[in-house]
Amino acid sequence: MTKKGLPKYVYADRGYVRFIRRSRGQSVMIKEEFGTLEFWDHYNRLLKGREPISSKRNFETLALSYFESDAYKKLKPRTKSDYRKYIEHIRKIWGRKDPRKIETQHIYELHRANADHWRQANYLVQVMVILMNHARLIGYLKKEHGNPAKGIPLFKQKSEGWEPWPDDVRQEFEAVASPRALLVYELCIGTGQRIGDVVAIRWDHIKDGAYDFTQGKTDKPMRIPLTDRLKAYLGTVSKEGLTIITGKHGCPVQYRTVAEEMRKIKSKMKHPDAATFVTHGLRKNATIELYQSGCDDEMVKAVTGHSGVEMLKKYGGAIRQRELATRAQEARNRMERNKTRT
């Protein structure tokens, strides 16, 4: 076989052919018979910089197959990163294991082994559900096997999630924060959005006194009128770039950069517990303020973008129950007074 008859990057080598692409450091023997479907599949994968997935049935090949799936490719970048991290952990433990040999008890033991980090332990089980479902889709598990990761009781959250910032912490932070950190703080309080969406806010998202955007986590289109406080504050902020929150030379800033800046400020505050309150807790502050101002669940969801009442219970806490109950009883009182008049 001469080079003239071979495709790009392929050379004859000891009875087989070798794919050599020096710019990528690739030098891979292709043992599939030249011209077959198997050969072209291997070749096309090498062109894309990937080795073909082995036909061996184990968690290593299952993970690689999932990473190639449409379901994984459609995920948000942050979710992709999280899934990959947990799947890599599973590969380290069970990489060579046949998925058919993993039963519910094994996943339950894995969950319990991570009990000191309950949130991560729960996420690990949730990723296992997805991975084992993919195993069924590609024929690694039969329908009668079911999904061994389903039904495992997750650890209960020990609190109502991230705590809202108390008034004394907020007052001190407002007094000592850097201009950028204070801007992040005001946007979180004023819009009630996740920090990822806050960092991405652009000046052209603000139209007719409202924030017009699509939530990154939910893909939900939102339009939120600015509060008077936020509108006044933004009036003092200079436009240095496309985004409202910027880094050097007016460039968009990374979430991690902002988070680290917020942490450093809180670590130097006089309040003994300041460092324990995270930026996401400000979303809870915004939710609570909405209830205190007289909003019902639907009105709160219209601002925060929460999809269900269960999350509102966590974010609104006891204040949500108190405010809703107060308005409910006031409605009953009005009804009774109307009956008396008639």
Side-chain angles (χ1 to χ4, degrees):
M1 187 183 300
T2 65
K3 169 58 187 167
K4 194 172 183 179
L6 296 173
K8 192 175 182 179
Y9 304 121
V10 176
Y11 302 84
D13 185 2
R14 291 170 290 178
Y16 296 102
V17 291
R18 181 176 289 274
F19 181 96
I20 301 175
R21 195 171 187 178
R22 292 182 177 83
S23 63
R24 292 183 179 176
Q26 289 175 287
S27 179
V28 180
M29 187 75 80
I30 302 180
K31 296 186 177 181
E32 291 84 1
E33 184 180 349
F34 178 72
T36 62
L37 288 175
E38 290 76 14
F39 170 87
W40 290 114
D41 179 63
H42 193 169
Y43 174 73
N44 287 326
R45 286 182 177 276
L46 290 171
L47 280 178
K48 296 175 183 177
R50 296 192 292 267
E51 280 281 13
I53 297 173
S54 167
S55 60
K56 193 167 184 179
R57 191 191 307 252
N58 55 33
F59 272 93
E60 182 73 25
T61 57
L62 173 59
L64 292 174
S65 173
Y66 177 66
F67 292 146
E68 290 286 321
S69 70
D70 289 339
Y72 179 76
K73 291 175 181 177
K74 289 177 181 177
L75 296 174
K76 294 287 183 181
R78 180 69 183 273
T79 307
K80 276 185 180 178
S81 176
D82 288 342
Y83 278 22
R84 183 172 283 276
K85 179 175 72 174
Y86 284 91
I87 290 174
E88 291 298 337
H89 181 68
I90 294 165
R91 286 172 71 178
K92 287 179 182 178
I93 300 171
W94 291 329
R96 297 182 180 180
K97 286 272 190 182
D98 186 334
R100 291 175 298 183
K101 295 182 179 179
I102 298 299
E103 299 178 2
T104 299
Q105 67 190 59
H106 301 127
I107 301 171
Y108 177 71
E109 289 168 3
L110 178 64
H111 182 235
R112 299 294 302 178
N114 290 274
D116 289 343
H117 304 282
W118 67 268
R119 190 183 298 275
Q120 289 88 336
N122 287 349
Y123 205 114
L124 192 60
V125 171
Q126 290 163 355
V127 169
M128 275 296 298
V129 170
I130 293 167
L131 199 56
M132 297 306 268
N133 185 58
H134 183 72
R136 292 179 62 187
L137 292 175
I138 63 174
Y140 278 22
L141 293 179
K142 299 299 181 184
K143 185 177 181 180
E144 57 268 23
H145 293 154
N147 188 323
K150 281 189 175 179
I152 292 177
L154 302 180
F155 294 120
K156 290 186 178 180
Q157 192 167 324
K158 297 177 182 178
S159 68
E160 290 300 319
W162 308 121
E163 291 297 322
W165 292 24
D167 289 342
D168 51 355
V169 172
R170 290 181 61 176
Q171 289 167 5
E172 185 180 355
F173 184 87
E174 290 173 14
V176 303
S178 64
R180 184 167 66 183
L182 189 58
L183 176 56
V184 171
Y185 167 88
E186 291 290 345
L187 286 168
C188 286
I189 289 290
T191 66
Q193 299 307 303
R194 301 173 183 86
I195 181 63
D197 287 321
V198 167
V199 170
I201 299 177
R202 299 184 341 195
W203 287 107
D204 60 1
H205 287 158
I206 308 297
K207 301 172 184 176
D208 300 323
Y211 174 26
D212 201 341
F213 71 111
T214 298
Q215 279 191 330
K217 184 176 181 179
T218 65
D219 270 338
K220 184 186 296 183
M222 302 279 289
R223 188 177 187 279
I224 305 171
L226 303 182
T227 62
D228 291 342
R229 169 174 169 160
L230 181 56
K231 199 180 300 182
Y233 186 82
L234 289 178
T236 69
V237 178
S238 60
K239 298 181 180 181
E240 298 179 0
L242 185 67
T243 56
I244 295 180
I245 304 169
T246 59
K248 292 182 179 179
H249 312 300
C251 294
V253 69
Q254 296 292 321
Y255 159 77
R256 291 179 181 177
T257 302
V258 169
E260 182 59 29
E261 184 174 348
M262 300 283 278
R263 277 195 293 269
K264 284 182 178 179
I265 292 168
K266 286 179 288 180
S267 69
K268 296 176 182 178
M269 285 169 56
K270 293 180 181 179
H271 194 290
D273 299 321
T276 65
F277 296 99
V278 301
T279 306
H280 194 75
L282 296 173
R283 180 163 156 83
K284 204 165 188 177
N285 281 97
T287 303
I288 289 171
E289 288 180 6
L290 287 165
Y291 279 116
Q292 289 175 327
S293 64
C295 298
D296 59 24
D297 284 343
E298 290 304 312
M299 295 168 72
V300 174
K301 285 195 292 184
V303 173
T304 64
H306 285 115
S307 58
V309 173
E310 285 306 311
M311 287 305 294
L312 287 179
K313 288 179 181 178
K314 289 184 178 182
Y315 278 75
I319 290 175
R320 169 187 175 274
Q321 184 276 326
R322 185 184 69 200
E323 295 295 330
L324 291 177
T326 298
R327 292 201 297 278
Q329 295 295 65
E330 286 175 350
R332 291 180 68 187
N333 289 336
R334 287 194 297 272
M335 181 185 70
E336 291 298 328
R337 286 195 293 269
N338 288 335
K339 282 183 179 180
T340 304
R341 288 171 188 162
T342 58

